[in-house]
Amino acid sequence: MSARGDAAAAFQFLSRFPVKGGGDFSRELLQRSVLYYPVVGAAIGLSAALGAGVAAWLLPAWPAAVITLILWVWLTGGLHLDGWMDCADGLLSYRTRERMLEIMKDSRVGAMGVLACMLLLLLKASLLAAFLEGGSWTELPLLLLPPVWSRWYMVRVMVRYPLARGDDGLAASFKGVPARQERRTLLLAALLSLAAAAAPLALGAGDVWPQLLAAAILAPALALACGTLAARRVRSRLGGLTGDVYGALNELLEALLLLLLVLLQHNL
């Protein structure tokens, strides 16, 4: 399978972009495709940034933010939100390890999952609104950072953390992802991050260079620190991670990285 096929598989698995040629989603293909997870994140971030720019030009900040978030969620097919809700139902039930895993595997969504989803989307919408209201259109490329680094961290946990269900579940398809994939995705995420931070300068936003530099440096640091804290906490309770946890970590880190952008925008 060519690199093009691996990239197509990553886009087909993580997004709704109309990409062809991904193959049959074999275990080998899925493991090779993780290299392109940051690229998928960049495509989602770029689409969200373009959508935000158009929406903010036509509408006030809050409606523009909600439209941007709808586009963002649609591009992912709600894949990671499903994991976020399942994890909320299971981990917040405070049951035994076995019972939590059963709850997370159940296709039905409970009250905690619905509540967690509502609060997460409200937080993301408010952060997008604050970001759109507090900056100019030249800063929109920074919206690439949250989806890029959150998806890089998913590859990191695939490599570094055990599976809670052993060889059962979707996460088992990624068991044995080689460590070199993490290093490669880190390099790719870093290059995409630098491009996103440099784009506002090319668009004439030279007066915000401290914010751009801080975002490029702090985004990966925050993703690593908060992702590690959350992943270790989940592992201590479940004995490992699941596919739902991968998605939940992505959602958590996207929200925290959006928060970082807003903090930098309003304090630098």
Side-chain angles (χ1 to χ4, degrees):
M1 179 68 70
S2 65
R4 181 177 179 180
D6 295 345
F11 273 90
Q12 290 172 354
F13 186 69
L14 293 181
S15 76
R16 289 185 178 272
F17 288 107
V19 177
K20 297 181 180 180
D24 58 358
F25 286 111
S26 65
R27 179 171 181 169
E28 293 75 17
L29 177 59
L30 287 174
Q31 292 193 7
R32 292 196 308 269
S33 71
V34 301
L35 173 62
Y36 299 95
Y37 278 20
V39 179
V40 178
I44 292 172
L46 179 59
S47 299
L50 292 173
V54 174
W57 180 53
L58 297 171
L59 297 165
W62 257 102
V66 172
I67 290 173
T68 302
L69 185 57
I70 291 172
L71 172 62
W72 197 321
V73 172
W74 179 81
L75 287 171
T76 67
L79 175 65
H80 308 304
L81 278 175
D82 181 67
W84 174 263
M85 289 187 289
D86 286 341
C87 285
D89 280 334
L91 294 171
L92 297 179
S93 70
Y94 298 101
R95 305 290 183 86
T96 64
R97 170 186 178 275
E98 291 72 21
R99 182 56 182 149
M100 285 191 289
L101 288 172
E102 288 178 9
I103 293 172
M104 291 167 63
K105 195 173 183 178
D106 194 332
S107 60
R108 293 170 296 182
V109 179
M112 292 307 300
V114 173
L115 181 60
C117 183
M118 291 175 58
L119 292 175
L120 178 71
L121 292 176
L122 181 60
L123 174 61
K124 282 188 171 183
S126 66
L127 292 172
L128 284 169
F131 185 76
L132 293 177
E133 192 171 31
S136 66
W137 67 273
T138 57
E139 297 172 39
L140 290 176
L142 291 178
L143 289 179
L144 273 71
L145 298 182
V148 165
W149 286 110
S150 62
R151 282 158 183 78
W152 163 75
Y153 195 77
M154 283 201 294
V155 179
R156 180 178 175 85
V157 294
M158 289 174 187
V159 172
R160 293 177 177 262
Y161 289 83
L163 298 176
R165 294 195 177 98
D167 293 329
D168 185 28
L170 180 60
S173 300
F174 299 96
K175 183 179 180 180
V177 172
R180 67 175 180 275
Q181 291 290 62
E182 180 194 347
R183 296 191 293 270
R184 290 174 177 174
T185 55
L186 175 60
L187 176 60
L188 189 54
L191 292 174
L192 291 168
S193 183
L194 290 174
L201 296 177
L203 294 173
D207 56 329
V208 296
W209 69 265
Q211 173 191 342
L212 304 177
L213 179 61
I217 295 173
L218 294 178
L222 181 66
L224 177 60
C226 294
T228 300
L229 182 64
R232 287 180 177 177
R233 177 61 176 165
V234 173
R235 183 180 62 180
S236 70
R237 300 189 63 191
L238 299 179
L241 307 187
T242 69
D244 284 330
V245 176
Y246 296 163
L249 287 171
N250 178 83
E251 290 293 338
L252 174 66
L253 293 180
E254 279 190 348
L256 291 175
L257 291 169
L258 281 172
L259 176 61
L260 172 67
L261 294 182
V262 173
L263 287 172
L264 293 176
Q265 184 185 68
H266 287 75
N267 291 280
L268 290 181

